[in-house]
Amino acid sequence: MQDERSTIEGFLTTVHPYDSLPRDELARVAGSFSRRHLAAGVEIYGFGDPLAGIFLIETGGVEILDRNGALVSLLGPRTCFGERALMRDGLAATAARTHEESHLLMLPAAVLRQLIADHPAFARFFNRTRSNEVRPADLTARRVSELMARDPVTCAETATVAEVARQIRDAHVSSVGVTAPDGALVGLVTTRDLANKVLAEGLPAETPVSRIMTRDLVTLAPTALGSDVLNLMLERRIGHLPITDAGRLVGMITQTDITRFQALSSAVLVRDIAGASMVPELAEITRRIPQLLLQLVGGHQAHDATTRLITDIADAVTRRLLAMAEEQLGAPPVPYLWLACGSQGRQEQTGVSDQDNCLMLDDSVTPDDMRYFADLAKFVSDGLAACGYVYCPGDMMATNSRWCQPVAKWRDYFRGWIGTPNPEAQMLASVMFDLRPIGGSSKLFGDLQAETLDAAAKNSIFVAHMVANSLKHAPPLGLLRGFATIRSGEHRNTIDMKHSGVVPVTDLGRVYALQGRLSEVNTRARLQAATDAGIISPTGGRDLIAAYDLIAETRLVHQAALISTGRAPDNFLEPAELPDFERSHLRDAFVVVRTMQSAIGQGKGGLT
């Protein structure tokens, strides 16, 4: 018995995180392991079985199977499995059986939990959720709900300017929201309005506030980011930004509120973009994006905040180019809307991004007007390319006349794709379901988006084809340390963290949004909304969001590491370069994605 314990102890010194334990603690833990010798093809546990502990492969190999019996991953020596079940409800989320004759070690759940509680190395290794560590204060990545002044001062439309002036004085504020009888925000009055529109014009104190208030306000939701505040204030040159929820005023942010924050890196780029007058100036500004990415990743910002800030810059560049185009070409003959799709549409741009965009035109457009929009599209697309956003290899750009059409034509496109879901239709629909307005008349898209989601969700054949299309990108799980790497060429022995990493989750999120008729476009927001709506179970949603966070953050860390050494960022990661615990986490994240793919492929959604 003592010899067996010594053998196990020696083996554990080669396995992280056990190798971090003090020798006396390691000896105690080694004595807690039980050892099993199993022949090939023996079931270790089945899907949904309660697990008494975590398993560690000493010799041999183990197959991990999903609930339908499909192979998810093949594990080798020094790899643990079963921990995901112990970290949630204790029930196996997969099945496991020996691939060959194997020696397995099993550590009781109680011992593992004590190790996690007592040793930070174990807590880091077995924690599969996003870190809650305190991060440096950065206005751009904070939620508006954290920044806004609550309980804003309001008045009725019938109030006089004298009454509003007294409200401003007594509350020590610089603005008052004007609300309708039903509570809806209809206007805003600031101290500047009182000075310029009342005093300077000699208006009487009894003047109704409705006469001088600012209407058609730009507002944000409490869930927006601080970067949204800065971008709007800088681009629109406004000093007060109302925060609304369902049309009701719930907070206010002013320039004074944000002066205490100094981390304005992304906002500075947006400010410089708004002031640029030529394309070369824009290109000079966007060359600072890699350094911004490095700073954001180095500051441990969440991946969705980082990609949102990077995308904000692309949005600002696009809007500035649209303004430049109109200055050169003249006013547009009819209203139009420039939309982004792909990663910009989902607000998920990283250090490697190409263009994916289109134009929707008012239905009053004439054939003669199309020349104007062709020129506008070329100006903007060429400008984006000059700023580092390369042309789309698939020509999914507004410069392609197919993607520069009246709204009626776009409505026909979506009807056709939904009605006849051939492979091209599936591909195009997948791209176009990620559309997001960037510049122009957003009302051209509102009804179309709702109509399309409703029609697509009702068509079971189309949904089935979209499900099948979402399974074309498989996580890179294979035989070598749990990963299937690229076998040849420039990127040999790497995994593509875009197409094999985030894209499988992006595809799942798109299908969940379709099934639930959810308007969210961002992948993480889609996963959360699908969980909240019951499209996927709380457990399945929590696991998939945690897996996506890890995959997306690993991708960004890889890109930042390349930038820090003077290289261009890419998506090709060598798993062999990762420490054991990071490799284990990443493998487990891919297992979660493969499991959720299997569930949706079998018609079970994400109810795992």
Side-chain angles (χ1 to χ4, degrees):
M1 189 69 177
Q2 184 62 39
D3 288 344
E4 180 173 284
R5 176 181 294 192
S6 297
T7 301
I8 293 175
E9 183 178 345
F11 175 69
L12 293 178
T13 61
T14 70
V15 181
H16 190 76
Y18 302 94
D19 59 353
S20 66
L21 292 173
R23 179 160 295 279
D24 58 342
E25 180 73 352
L26 180 64
R28 186 189 67 78
V29 171
S32 300
F33 274 96
S34 60
R35 193 184 223 162
R36 298 171 62 183
H37 176 216
L38 300 176
V42 175
E43 181 179 85
I44 303 166
Y45 56 76
F47 177 84
D49 288 351
L51 297 188
I54 186 176
F55 293 89
L56 180 62
I57 304 172
E58 189 175 13
T59 63
V62 171
E63 298 173 351
I64 302 298
L65 313 169
D66 65 22
R67 64 186 302 166
N68 304 303
L71 180 65
V72 172
S73 184
L74 180 58
L75 309 179
R78 298 173 59 246
T79 304
C80 63
F81 59 98
E83 65 273 21
R84 185 155 64 100
L86 297 182
M87 293 300 104
R88 50 181 202 176
D89 56 8
L91 302 180
T94 56
R97 70 182 177 209
T98 54
H99 178 70
E100 57 186 291
E101 182 180 7
S102 303
H103 284 91
L104 306 180
L105 302 177
M106 198 276 284
L107 183 68
V111 179
L112 175 64
R113 292 191 181 98
Q114 192 61 51
L115 287 170
I116 292 173
D118 294 344
H119 299 279
F122 278 78
R124 287 193 301 270
F125 187 87
F126 290 105
N127 179 16
R128 296 319 200 228
T129 59
R130 176 183 284 185
S131 172
N132 291 320
E133 65 181 306
V134 177
R135 288 167 173 158
D138 183 356
L139 170 67
T140 58
R142 286 178 179 262
R143 296 292 177 190
V144 163
S145 58
E146 301 175 58
L147 303 170
M148 69 185 188
R150 299 179 183 275
D151 301 319
V153 179
T154 62
C155 71
E157 296 176 84
T158 55
T160 67
V161 293
E163 291 171 339
V164 170
R166 286 192 288 271
Q167 282 185 289
I168 287 177
R169 178 198 64 193
D170 294 342
H172 303 287
V173 295
S174 58
S175 66
V176 172
V178 184
T179 58
D182 63 357
L185 180 67
V186 295
L188 184 72
V189 177
T190 68
T191 52
R192 178 174 294 183
D193 293 327
L194 293 175
N196 294 343
K197 298 178 181 179
V198 178
L199 292 177
E201 297 299 327
L203 295 181
E206 295 76 24
T207 301
V209 72
S210 58
R211 181 174 170 183
I212 68 161
M213 70 183 185
T214 301
R215 302 175 185 270
D216 300 323
L217 299 170
V218 177
T219 66
L220 284 176
T223 54
L225 293 178
S227 65
D228 297 321
V229 176
L230 294 170
N231 294 346
L232 284 174
M233 285 185 170
L234 292 168
E235 288 188 33
R236 303 294 183 93
R237 293 180 170 83
I238 56 178
H240 296 76
L241 193 57
I243 309 304
T244 60
D245 188 3
R248 296 177 180 273
L249 183 66
V250 296
M252 183 70 67
I253 296 181
T254 70
Q255 288 181 338
T256 302
D257 295 326
I258 65 176
T259 54
R260 67 181 182 275
F261 293 96
Q262 300 300 318
L264 302 178
S265 53
S266 63
V268 166
L269 266 64
V270 171
R271 180 200 65 193
D272 293 347
I273 288 166
S277 59
M278 300 177 63
V279 172
E281 292 178 55
L282 292 175
E284 183 64 30
I285 296 167
T286 56
R287 275 194 281 271
R288 289 143 60 186
I289 291 177
Q291 187 61 36
L292 172 63
L293 176 65
L294 181 61
Q295 292 175 358
L296 291 170
V297 174
H300 304 289
Q301 298 297 341
H303 71 87
D304 48 328
T306 296
T307 56
R308 172 66 180 275
L309 298 178
I310 298 297
T311 305
D312 284 348
I313 296 168
D315 292 353
V317 169
T318 304
R319 285 191 289 268
R320 188 70 193 101
L321 287 168
L322 287 169
M324 289 180 180
E326 290 188 22
E327 291 169 6
Q328 178 174 304
L329 301 173
V334 299
Y336 72 87
L337 178 62
W338 184 282
L339 302 101
C341 44
S343 60
Q344 185 182 1
R346 296 189 305 274
Q347 297 179 302
E348 294 168 3
Q349 288 192 316
T350 67
V352 186
S353 297
D354 59 5
Q355 294 184 44
D356 293 290
N357 47 59
C358 64
L359 270 171
M360 289 186 180
L361 313 176
D362 188 88
D363 286 334
S364 63
V365 69
T366 68
D368 290 341
D369 296 334
M370 297 304 290
R371 181 69 260 170
Y372 175 95
F373 292 108
D375 291 342
L376 180 140
K378 186 176 189 311
F379 182 95
V380 175
S381 185
D382 288 349
L384 288 170
C387 292
Y389 303 98
V390 299
Y391 298 113
C392 174
D395 202 20
M396 186 69 68
M397 296 183 295
T399 49
N400 183 337
S401 60
R402 188 180 183 185
W403 312 127
C404 178
Q405 292 291 334
V407 172
K409 184 65 174 179
W410 281 102
R411 188 170 275 110
D412 289 342
Y413 281 160
F414 279 106
R415 286 173 180 165
W417 296 333
I418 294 169
T420 310
N422 55 44
E424 182 190 36
Q426 296 167 35
M427 182 274 292
L428 294 174
S430 294
V431 173
M432 294 304 177
F433 274 127
D434 295 346
L435 285 173
R436 183 172 59 88
I438 302 298
S441 179
S442 58
K443 66 181 182 180
L444 295 177
F445 181 59
D447 292 341
L448 178 60
Q449 181 188 36
E451 289 173 16
T452 302
L453 272 174
D454 185 60
K458 290 178 179 177
N459 189 321
S460 59
I461 296 176
F462 177 78
V463 173
H465 278 277
M466 287 293 289
V467 169
N469 188 62
S470 73
L471 303 179
K472 291 181 178 178
H473 293 98
L477 292 167
L479 305 183
L480 180 60
R481 292 191 176 228
F483 295 105
T485 58
I486 298 172
R487 296 184 178 180
S488 60
E490 178 186 0
H491 303 297
R492 184 173 180 268
N493 295 329
T494 68
I495 52 179
D496 186 339
M497 291 297 292
K498 177 181 178 180
H499 293 101
S500 299
V502 298
V503 168
V505 187
T506 298
D507 290 344
L508 285 173
R510 189 180 297 114
V511 172
Y512 296 147
L514 178 60
Q515 292 174 329
R517 305 180 193 184
L518 307 173
S519 60
E520 284 80 2
V521 176
N522 175 266
T523 297
R524 197 176 195 278
R526 280 172 166 169
L527 299 181
Q528 188 61 62
T531 304
D532 295 342
I535 306 301
I536 48 180
S537 70
T539 299
R542 184 171 61 249
D543 284 350
L544 186 55
I545 290 171
Y548 177 61
D549 287 342
L550 180 63
I551 294 167
E553 288 174 5
T554 300
R555 179 191 183 199
L556 287 178
V557 168
H558 165 71
Q559 292 188 0
L562 292 175
I563 293 169
S564 68
T565 58
R567 291 177 287 175
D570 64 29
N571 292 304
F572 299 97
L573 172 72
E574 290 190 41
E577 294 183 353
L578 295 175
D580 282 352
F581 76 95
E582 290 185 17
R583 195 160 51 238
S584 176
H585 275 216
L586 188 59
R587 185 260 300 168
D588 285 351
F590 288 140
V591 168
V592 171
V593 177
R594 177 72 66 82
T595 301
M596 297 298 281
Q597 283 185 326
S598 177
I600 201 170
Q602 296 294 324
K604 299 182 177 65
L607 301 176
T608 60

